[in-house]
Amino acid sequence: MGTAEQVGHYTRLQPFVEIMDSTLRDGEQTNGVSFLPHEKLIIARMLLHDLNVDRIEVASARVSEGEKEAVSMICRYAEKIDKLDNVEVLGFVDGGVSVDWIVSCGAKVINLLAKGSLRHCREQLGKSPEEHVEDICREVKYARSKGLIVNLYLEDWSNGMKDSPEYVYQAMDVLCDIGIRRFMLPDTLGIMNPLQCIEYFRKMLKRYPDTHFDFHAHNDYDLAVSNSLAAALSGAKGLHVTVNGLGERCGNAPLSSVQVILKDQFHAKTNINENKLNDISRLVESYSGIAIAPNQPIIGDNVFTQVAGVHADGDNKNGLYQNELMPERFGRRREYALGKNSGKANIAKNLEELGLELTPEQTKKVTQRITELGDKKEIVTQDDLPFIVSDVLKHDAPEDKVKLVSYVVSTAYGLKPGANVKVEINGQQYEAGATGDGQYDAFVKALRFIYRKYLDRTFPLLQNYAVSIPPGGRTDALVQTVITWNDNGKILRTRGLDADQTEAAIKATFKMLNIYENENTNEL
């Protein structure tokens, strides 16, 4: 059933759709994915307790002892929270072997796998439709005698409806009267489109109007979500999903996408706690080793990140660039990317979140620096921002007396690193080359040669050299280099920030040289 919603002068029925998650069974058929028993238990607990999924399919019968241990653990947990009937196990028409396996695990629901197309029945089983239906009836009777609730998959149902609908009806005419709770209709090979889905479901419901039908989508044509919505629009009472769309070949319908489309586009009711969708996705990503695409709707890293400055500005003006998919709804928050495309509005949003207050002139300098850095790396993160602010505001010399004109550093196997440097000191240009123990060491040696030969003096000695990146450990993070200099007992620290470590160190060096040059000029 559903609840009523008043819309103008009309009352619209909001249908209720059951969500059955098959991550632990069908999702585990993803190439390279195998969950340990304790991982299955943790995922099942989050699905049932935190996310509030209606049902979970946790395994295939008879697979292994490890699978049996996992199912038993999940069943013990589900019984404690009074949700044992929500845990389902795939079983086979195998003369009661699957039924006994499932009962021994403590489970109460079998999802029996039968053939939903004439081709599968004849060519895979080598049986006539009558023989297969008779075998199914015998299996269902035995399962019910053992106290199991029986749901039935009609495997390859989509091809059955396309190529042999008379076979589907022949089987259903018998099976719908033997005590099966749910009939689960899979698009096993992912061949359907939404129009076909609507057509086939309406035919099934017209012929069997009081039957509970689930739909189980596969994503071979990237239509799993669309087909799931079409099935719900046509009267399916349950939809099968997996976390992050895991599954064989191209996967299944992703839980997060199906949920939001049901709610926002179809106005359906479900029991899902949406603010836990991101948590379950990250947990399954970690255990499966299958990374979530950054642009995956709802759960991808980038989906709540505004890049263009005009979008951030629009968000400040009555949410002009926002829709119903608000990040807080899913336990997330909107972010404003920093880079060459970000404007003052993006930067202001990030500064506000960090509690940093800058003058318009300071904000302009920070914006210019971010644009410059954005040309060198894909994105500047919010974690980078305090480093950038410090770099721009604390170490801006009023006028650079020492300027880097150009440089080349090189390294090659079997040869010492080298550097060629051209600098401008008080309006005069000098050039020198040197080798060293590293690229930066060679650079500094070339500078010292210039100071000794052309200026007859030197500059402070390097005492300590520290490199750090902003939190997060990203491989493309900005590098901050802090160098401690000793000038006859006087300590000076300068820092440089760049996407390249050597360049960050060079910037820190030139900040020191300008401070040193200004002090010497003032003393004169």
Side-chain angles (χ1 to χ4, degrees):
M1 295 297 291
T3 59
E5 179 189 62
Q6 195 70 31
V7 183
H9 299 293
Y10 303 96
T11 299
R12 176 172 62 192
L13 186 68
Q14 289 184 294
F16 176 79
V17 180
E18 272 188 358
I19 300 296
M20 192 274 267
D21 184 275
S22 187
T23 303
L24 299 177
R25 199 278 299 174
D26 215 12
E28 199 180 29
Q29 291 179 199
T30 306
N31 185 30
V33 173
S34 179
F35 299 117
L36 297 172
H38 79 275
E39 292 174 338
K40 280 200 164 193
L41 175 61
I42 292 170
I43 293 171
R45 289 178 63 165
M46 183 171 280
L47 287 168
L48 288 174
H49 182 266
D50 299 336
L51 202 66
N52 205 32
V53 166
D54 297 291
R55 299 147 49 203
I56 58 173
E57 188 175 48
V58 299
S60 298
R62 303 163 25 203
V63 168
S64 66
E65 283 304 308
E67 199 79 329
K68 189 170 188 177
E69 179 189 355
V71 175
S72 300
M73 290 166 61
I74 292 169
C75 288
R76 286 195 295 271
Y77 166 74
E79 191 168 28
K80 287 180 183 177
I81 62 170
D82 198 28
K83 288 192 173 184
L84 186 55
D85 287 356
N86 303 75
V87 177
E88 304 172 4
V89 181
L90 183 73
F92 308 96
V93 181
D94 56 10
V97 178
S98 290
V99 170
D100 292 340
W101 192 93
I102 292 168
V103 170
S104 71
C105 294
K108 291 295 183 184
V109 184
I110 181 173
N111 291 342
L112 195 61
L113 187 68
K115 298 302 179 183
S117 69
L118 182 61
R119 186 172 172 221
H120 271 224
C121 178
R122 283 183 172 165
E123 295 184 22
Q124 190 166 44
L125 299 182
K127 294 192 174 187
S128 68
E130 294 78 13
E131 288 172 325
H132 185 41
V133 169
E134 185 178 337
D135 290 343
I136 296 169
C137 291
R138 191 180 305 112
E139 204 75 31
V140 170
K141 183 178 180 180
Y142 182 66
R144 296 189 70 199
S145 74
K146 291 291 187 176
L148 294 182
I149 297 166
V150 181
N151 302 321
L152 185 81
Y153 274 113
L154 287 174
E155 186 181 19
D156 200 38
W157 166 80
S158 50
N159 271 317
M161 291 299 289
K162 181 166 69 77
D163 300 328
S164 54
E166 67 287 342
Y167 165 83
V168 178
Y169 299 145
Q170 179 185 353
M172 283 295 302
D173 287 345
V174 176
L175 298 175
C176 66
D177 293 325
I178 63 171
I180 294 170
R181 179 170 290 187
R182 301 177 184 88
F183 286 87
M184 307 193 293
L185 308 179
D187 181 17
T188 303
L189 300 179
I191 55 100
M192 281 202 303
N193 63 54
L195 293 178
Q196 290 171 318
C197 195
I198 290 170
E199 177 191 349
Y200 297 161
F201 255 91
R202 286 181 176 172
K203 287 179 177 178
M204 295 292 285
L205 284 162
K206 183 177 180 180
R207 191 168 178 119
Y208 311 103
D210 300 322
T211 304
H212 178 118
F213 288 116
D214 280 3
F215 179 61
H216 182 103
H218 280 263
N219 204 36
D220 295 70
Y221 281 96
D222 204 18
L223 289 170
V225 175
S226 300
N227 286 336
S228 295
L229 177 61
L233 287 168
S234 304
K237 294 182 179 178
L239 295 176
H240 296 190
V241 298
T242 60
V243 177
N244 302 342
L246 292 183
E248 198 168 23
R249 304 186 313 276
C250 301
N252 295 26
L255 165 61
S256 52
S257 296
V258 168
Q259 165 61 25
V260 298
I261 288 176
L262 282 175
K263 182 175 181 180
D264 295 359
Q265 305 291 339
F266 186 35
H267 306 289
K269 301 287 287 184
T270 71
N271 286 324
I272 300 296
N273 291 331
E274 290 186 338
N275 64 354
K276 297 295 183 181
L277 285 172
N278 191 56
D279 291 343
I280 188 66
S281 290
R282 296 302 162 188
L283 178 68
V284 171
E285 179 184 42
S286 174
Y287 285 166
S288 68
I290 304 296
I292 300 169
N295 63 340
Q296 177 76 22
I298 315 304
I299 55 175
D301 281 344
N302 293 349
V303 296
F304 297 117
T305 299
Q306 302 280 41
V307 174
V310 66
H311 293 170
D313 179 63
D315 284 347
N316 284 331
K317 297 172 180 175
N318 203 27
L320 296 179
Y321 291 91
Q322 297 174 1
N323 56 24
E324 288 185 79
L325 300 174
M326 299 297 286
E328 294 77 15
R329 176 176 163 187
F330 310 108
R332 301 185 64 182
R333 64 185 181 87
R334 193 172 302 283
E335 296 179 1
Y336 296 88
L338 299 168
K340 61 183 179 182
N341 293 316
S342 58
K344 289 185 293 184
N346 268 26
I347 292 162
K349 281 276 190 183
N350 281 277
L351 291 170
E352 181 183 327
E353 286 191 21
L354 292 170
L356 296 173
E357 294 184 11
L358 301 182
T359 66
E361 183 60 29
Q362 289 172 331
T363 302
K364 182 180 178 181
K365 288 182 179 180
V366 171
T367 303
Q368 290 172 343
R369 186 77 172 106
I370 287 172
T371 301
E372 174 193 328
L373 290 166
D375 280 328
K376 295 185 178 182
K377 60 177 291 201
E378 180 181 350
I379 192 168
V380 180
T381 69
Q382 191 184 65
D383 290 328
D384 296 326
L385 193 53
F387 288 71
I388 295 169
V389 171
S390 178
D391 180 58
V392 170
L393 302 186
K394 288 186 178 179
H395 296 287
D396 265 351
E399 181 182 349
D400 287 344
K401 296 187 176 183
V402 184
K403 299 177 182 178
L404 179 63
V405 178
S406 65
Y407 78 93
V408 175
V409 291
S410 62
T411 185
Y413 182 75
L415 298 175
K416 295 193 74 172
N420 287 294
V421 181
K422 181 186 283 188
V423 296
E424 181 181 305
I425 304 173
N426 295 317
Q428 183 70 40
Q429 289 193 2
Y430 307 96
E431 187 173 351
T435 59
D437 293 330
Q439 292 179 339
Y440 176 66
D441 183 52
F443 184 91
V444 172
K445 284 181 175 177
L447 278 177
R448 289 195 180 279
F449 178 84
I450 289 170
Y451 269 74
R452 281 196 309 268
K453 180 175 181 179
Y454 300 111
L455 303 176
D456 195 27
R457 55 190 173 93
T458 186
F459 52 79
L461 296 173
L462 188 152
Q463 181 170 298
N464 191 38
Y465 179 105
V467 176
S468 62
I469 63 172
R474 291 169 56 102
T475 56
D476 64 346
L478 294 174
V479 177
Q480 177 179 254
T481 302
V482 179
I483 302 179
T484 304
W485 308 91
N486 189 326
D487 182 21
N488 295 318
K490 181 181 177 182
I491 301 300
L492 173 66
R493 288 185 181 86
T494 56
R495 73 182 67 197
L497 186 74
D498 200 88
D500 179 81
Q501 180 178 328
T502 301
E503 189 144 338
I506 290 171
K507 287 177 179 178
T509 303
F510 272 78
K511 286 176 182 176
M512 177 276 298
L513 291 173
N514 274 289
I515 293 170
Y516 186 65
E517 201 66 33
N518 278 314
E519 287 179 351
N520 285 342
T521 301
N522 292 336
E523 287 175 3
L524 294 173

